[in-house]
Amino acid sequence: MPEMKKYLMCLLLFAIGISVFGASNLSKAIEEIDKEVNQIEKNIKQYTEVNTSVDGNSEISYYDNGTLKMKEAVYNTFISDLSEATYYKNGKRIFMRILRTIYKVNPDGETSDEYKEETEKYYFNRNGELIRYVDKNGRIIDGKDELSGLKDY
């Protein structure tokens, strides 16, 4: 029986170690993505800008020596604006931020200057797989099972 307790204890410690190792790898990946996104934003004025605006909506792509670094799309409607910024590294999407600005509509049907903003963030690994989602309330969702239930991003 003591051997069984040792065996179970070893299994438990192994599982805890794997869990901690996986969490630290995720934290490191998120940290690297945040660093890359900050670097892109810092250098954005140095990149070549390609604007493909149509019908009041805009899409701007930013290139560094022919390599796509960021794509920003802004869509305007009567009561809301949607801004979608997607960041790239080595041709792969690494991060996406969606900002919705929702305007209050007055009783006369006109939009007012009052609004609320909602932001969502998506983090992707180097294989393009979603590894973290931060919803509009700031709730962080990690893990394949939890992320698999999300809609298309």
Side-chain angles (χ1 to χ4, degrees):
M1 204 54 142
E3 288 298 316
M4 184 61 134
K5 283 184 181 180
K6 280 184 188 178
Y7 178 74
L8 290 174
M9 184 58 102
C10 285
L11 277 177
L12 178 65
L13 290 174
F14 179 73
I16 290 171
I18 295 262
S19 172
V20 169
F21 179 72
S24 70
N25 279 347
L26 178 62
S27 295
K28 185 176 178 183
I30 298 300
E31 197 174 292
E32 287 176 15
I33 291 168
D34 284 338
K35 194 183 298 183
E36 183 72 24
V37 166
N38 289 334
Q39 189 67 29
I40 291 169
E41 289 176 347
K42 179 181 169 189
N43 295 324
I44 200 80
K45 293 190 184 292
Q46 298 172 19
Y47 300 147
T48 303
E49 187 177 306
V50 177
N51 188 331
T52 54
S53 298
V54 178
D55 297 330
N57 298 315
S58 71
E59 186 173 297
I60 302 171
S61 298
Y62 296 90
Y63 294 88
D64 182 23
N65 294 319
T67 301
L68 180 62
K69 298 301 258 179
M70 184 180 132
K71 194 179 277 189
E72 185 172 36
V74 178
Y75 307 100
N76 302 304
T77 67
F78 175 68
I79 60 168
S80 68
D81 297 329
L82 178 74
S83 173
E84 185 179 289
T86 307
Y87 297 77
Y88 297 85
K89 182 176 181 179
N90 300 326
K92 302 246 184 190
R93 175 176 59 176
I94 59 168
F95 180 76
M96 186 167 67
R97 179 177 46 243
I98 298 175
L99 171 65
R100 286 180 190 80
T101 306
I102 304 164
Y103 297 95
K104 181 179 177 184
V105 178
N106 294 325
D108 63 2
E110 295 293 316
T111 55
S112 74
D113 292 336
E114 292 180 55
Y115 62 90
K116 72 175 184 175
E117 291 184 335
E118 298 174 345
T119 302
E120 295 176 52
K121 297 177 183 178
Y122 300 80
Y123 290 83
F124 302 89
N125 67 16
R126 63 177 62 118
N127 297 322
E129 299 166 329
L130 183 63
I131 57 173
R132 172 171 283 175
Y133 168 68
V134 182
D135 73 9
K136 65 183 181 181
N137 299 314
R139 185 173 58 118
I140 296 171
I141 302 171
D142 294 330
K144 281 190 175 187
D145 292 339
E146 291 81 4
L147 294 170
S148 67
L150 292 175
K151 296 179 183 174
D152 291 338
Y153 40 85

